[in-house]
Amino acid sequence: MRSVAKAIIAIATFLFLLLAGASAQQSNPPSKNLALTPPMGWNSWNKFACNVNEDMIRSMADAMVKSGMKDAGYQYVNIDDCWQVSRDASGNIVPDPERFPHGMKALGDYIHSLGLKFGVYSDAGSKTCAGRPGGLGHEYQDAIQYAAWGVDYLKYDWCNTTTQDAKASYANMRAALDAAGRPIVLSICEWGKAKPWLWGEEAGGNLWRTTDDIKDRWGGPEKWPDGSCCSNGVMSILDQQAGLQSYAGPGHWNDPDMLEVGNGGMTDTEYRSHFSLWAILAAPLIAGNDLRDMRPEIREILTNKEVIAVDQDPLGREGARVARSGDAEVWSKQMKDGSRAVILLNRGSVAQEISVNWEEIGYPGHLRVSVRDLWEHKELGNFTGRLSASVPSHGVMMMLVKP
Ligand code: GLA
């Protein structure tokens, strides 16, 4: 009789612990509190596309440290498509043995040894966009593998998903990652097709692409001289962010795609604008250039700590376009201390005077504020009511306005 009672108590205790464990996992999953500010790092796709290998990724991690990018806040070293070639007989994902001869765990260990974090890419469908094996049907198996490799960030693409439901697919991958027990940032790369800003947070995504792939060009509403259109240049991507600001916040960000700064298709003035705008949008700052070979001007853009501080402000507000007149725009972002980051943007082809008045940025007109130029790194003095400045073609003036 005694032993029966003991067995019942043991079973009851076991069930209690199981349930308590499960509910603790649900209310406190490993991914809780990830990406409380927009993720910062580097990704291979924009510059190297499928041309990835372990030596290149290692040297990029080294360069992230040496260039001062790590000190400026960049953390993730992310391999995009084409690291994977097949699945083995048990269905495990197989990294390209020629390009990654030491395997992914060794690469992750190296990246971690530099104090950085490790990211990989896969796809919610049967194949990735480059035709490599996707994650469909292997979500839990892959998540365990990624956790074992020390992966900290997964970009999950949307090619070859046929009739899959986007929210359910991403929620499934989030559940798999959490079940694997490692905190892994989930980057939803669904290109905005099913409006991921409406469901991305609930699906457990930490960021979600809002548009098609960025191109290394200014773009804008105008057509190109050859008559082709302007799509996915920095200006057209910017226009697609307007109105999405209320969906972003700590742990869940709109992603207007990775940076093209330094890839050669734009002028330094345009790259400065691209970087400033991404910062005021509280966008993930994922560099996409060759960090081993940066001109000082490019490094200065990517490591401008005052601009990065706008992006990384702990309040986590995304900035918005607050005024527009012809080619001139004003963007503003509320900061945690009550100040405003403000951008005067000149989309036109000649320099022009652009002004902002305090009502546009949510201050009373009589307020006296101090203004600091975040590219010149200097105080411009005190102003009441409004401020105007001459802004070069395709350029910005970016400032911090403090009551
Ligand atoms: C899609 C994504 C890109 C990149 C490629 C890789 O186009 O949107 O960012 O990951 O796939 O094939």
Side-chain angles (χ1 to χ4, degrees):
M1 201 51 205
R2 258 218 185 138
S3 61
V4 172
K6 263 192 188 158
I8 290 172
I9 291 171
I11 290 169
T13 312
F14 173 74
L15 284 176
F16 173 77
L17 289 175
L18 195 74
L19 287 174
S23 83
Q25 253 236 323
Q26 261 172 22
S27 62
N28 213 3
S31 55
K32 200 176 169 185
N33 293 332
L34 273 181
L36 293 181
T37 60
M40 293 177 64
W42 174 88
N43 172 294
S44 50
W45 185 256
N46 283 355
K47 171 79 183 174
F48 298 95
C50 268
N51 204 6
V52 288
N53 64 67
E54 63 178 33
D55 290 340
M56 184 268 269
I57 301 292
R58 277 171 180 252
S59 60
M60 212 59 72
D62 291 338
M64 191 180 273
V65 177
K66 280 194 209 123
S67 61
M69 299 268 295
K70 182 187 177 209
D71 282 344
Y74 295 83
Q75 247 190 325
Y76 294 98
V77 178
N78 295 349
I79 315 174
D80 207 277
D81 209 346
C82 303
W83 60 267
Q84 64 287 69
V85 282
S86 58
R87 290 195 179 271
D88 68 15
S90 318
N92 295 312
I93 189 82
V94 178
D96 186 328
E98 269 154 40
R99 290 172 174 263
F100 296 89
H102 297 90
M104 303 301 268
K105 167 87 168 69
L107 186 52
D109 286 349
Y110 183 73
I111 290 169
H112 291 146
S113 77
L114 300 177
L116 298 170
K117 293 187 167 173
F118 178 35
V120 293
Y121 160 103
S122 187
D123 186 289
S126 55
K127 284 189 171 145
T128 70
C129 295
R132 306 302 174 92
L136 184 61
H138 295 274
E139 292 83 359
Y140 281 77
Q141 186 174 19
D142 286 350
I144 289 168
Q145 183 66 267
Y146 299 153
W149 290 340
V151 166
D152 305 295
Y153 186 114
L154 175 67
K155 173 175 167 183
Y156 215 45
D157 215 337
W158 191 241
C159 279
N160 306 298
T161 47
T162 62
T163 59
Q164 281 173 248
D165 177 73
K167 181 180 176 187
S169 300
Y170 284 101
N172 191 25
M173 195 59 204
R174 166 48 79 204
L177 293 172
D178 281 349
R182 190 173 167 86
I184 298 180
V185 169
L186 176 60
S187 160
I188 296 179
C189 180
E190 185 266 1
W191 324 306
K193 298 277 179 263
K195 299 193 167 70
W197 46 90
L198 298 178
W199 48 262
E201 183 187 6
E202 215 180 302
N206 300 106
L207 56 154
W208 46 81
R209 283 273 299 279
T210 53
T211 67
D212 280 337
D213 294 7
I214 191 170
K215 295 277 166 10
D216 182 16
R217 60 190 187 197
W218 181 249
E222 73 282 2
K223 297 219 187 253
W224 299 107
D226 68 2
S228 69
C229 194
C230 38
S231 60
N232 302 332
V234 164
M235 286 301 101
S236 71
I237 296 232
L238 178 70
D239 287 338
Q240 295 173 71
Q241 311 312 309
L244 300 185
Q245 61 276 0
S246 65
Y247 300 104
H252 52 99
W253 308 100
N254 289 309
D255 174 10
D257 207 357
M258 305 175 291
L259 298 165
E260 291 284 9
V261 176
N263 279 337
M266 288 182 258
T267 65
D268 290 351
T269 299
E270 291 169 339
Y271 282 140
R272 219 169 283 123
S273 300
H274 172 22
F275 193 70
S276 305
L277 290 160
W278 264 230
I280 212 160
L281 288 169
L285 297 179
I286 308 291
N289 58 320
D290 191 340
L291 307 181
R292 301 167 303 186
D293 178 26
M294 283 192 274
R295 286 185 292 116
E297 293 81 358
I298 296 299
R299 192 169 42 111
E300 240 168 65
I301 294 174
L302 288 170
T303 59
N304 182 330
K305 290 185 182 171
E306 296 195 67
V307 173
I308 290 172
V310 170
D311 180 78
Q312 296 288 304
D313 182 68
L315 184 64
R317 284 285 173 88
E318 176 173 330
R321 178 159 51 206
V322 296
R324 165 184 227 178
S325 151
D327 286 333
E329 296 183 3
V330 180
W331 289 73
S332 166
K333 177 187 201 278
Q334 188 186 336
M335 304 286 282
K336 186 163 190 218
D337 67 359
S339 61
R340 302 283 189 268
V342 174
I343 287 179
L344 309 179
L345 167 66
N346 179 5
R347 301 170 72 135
S349 50
V350 289
Q352 62 176 317
E353 192 86 2
I354 303 181
S355 49
V356 50
N357 66 61
W358 291 182
E359 277 92 0
E360 288 165 350
I361 58 175
Y363 289 152
H366 59 75
L367 198 67
R368 197 171 153 78
V369 301
S370 72
V371 175
R372 182 172 172 82
D373 186 319
L374 303 187
W375 284 106
E376 295 297 324
H377 304 293
K378 68 172 194 227
E379 302 295 333
L380 300 182
N382 294 316
F383 295 80
T384 306
R386 65 197 294 280
L387 175 150
S388 48
S390 167
V391 184
S393 161
H394 295 185
V396 293
M397 146 120 190
M398 185 170 189
M399 54 199 156
L400 195 63
V401 176
K402 242 185 201 165

